[in-house]
Amino acid sequence: KRLTFPSIIMVAVDECLAINGEGIEYREFSCMYPQLEPFYFDFEKKYDPFPVHHFMRNHPMIPIVAVILYGVFIILGKQYFYNRPAWNWRSAMALWNLSLSIFSWVGMARTLPQLVHNLTHLSVRDNLCEDPRITYGSGSSGLWVQLFILSKFPYVYVPGCL
């Protein structure tokens, strides 16, 4: 005679598990390390990169036009300033470069911990082949990766305006 017991289903709740705008589950980095969580803002932890991602995917001409305009501005700018005195915008350019440096350091501080975590917890194959929407593309890391990518537009154009 075999005794059977009612099965008990236990579901472990992973409070670090989140779902992005495409319905893909990912683990929020700042939640996995509670000692770091106070240093992250709520808007970072809950950031969904997919509205911006979808906009970029649906408007592929924007970077192409930006590159073409950049080339045109270089040619026309050289011609325009050929016989004109140079502008003295040393302070503005120093401030611009300082802001870029600060932005880069903050971005590095936000993405390096995720990178170290991935390198120490995932295989080489997973680091190279796993879907980035799961490993680093959503939540706080996804925000800073996306800001880095989008920062190339002002990085190229603002110095030309100064």
Side-chain angles (χ1 to χ4, degrees), residues 18-26 46-58 131-139 142-143 146:
I19 299 175
N20 64 28
E22 291 199 334
I24 298 170
E25 290 183 347
Y26 69 96
K46 298 174 183 173
Y47 182 70
D48 181 12
F50 291 100
V52 175
H53 180 258
H54 291 302
F55 175 82
M56 292 187 303
R57 188 173 56 201
N58 293 331
D131 187 349
R133 297 174 295 182
I134 298 169
T135 56
Y136 65 86
S138 299
L143 169 67
Q146 196 168 70

Side-chain angles (χ1 to χ4, degrees), residues 73-86:
F73 290 154
I74 289 174
I75 294 168
L76 295 178
K78 284 174 126 180
Q79 292 173 357
Y80 178 78
F81 287 105
Y82 184 72
N83 291 326
R84 289 182 174 75

Side-chain angles (χ1 to χ4, degrees), residues 41-119:
F41 297 104
D42 281 340
F43 74 89
E44 288 177 294
K45 293 187 268 188
K46 298 174 183 173
Y47 182 70
D48 181 12
F50 291 100
V52 175
H53 180 258
H54 291 302
F55 175 82
M56 292 187 303
R57 188 173 56 201
N58 293 331
H59 298 86
M61 290 303 293
I62 291 175
I64 295 168
V65 170
V67 169
I68 291 169
L69 286 175
Y70 182 67
V72 169
F73 290 154
I74 289 174
I75 294 168
L76 295 178
K78 284 174 126 180
Q79 292 173 357
Y80 178 78
F81 287 105
Y82 184 72
N83 291 326
R84 289 182 174 75
W87 293 348
N88 185 12
W89 288 44
R90 195 173 177 95
S91 297
M93 291 304 288
L95 184 62
W96 173 247
N97 286 326
L98 176 66
S99 68
L100 288 177
S101 180
I102 292 170
F103 174 79
S104 295
W105 276 99
V106 170
M108 185 267 311
R110 287 299 202 231
T111 56
L112 183 63
Q114 177 77 60
L115 175 64
V116 171
H117 171 82
N118 288 355
L119 290 174

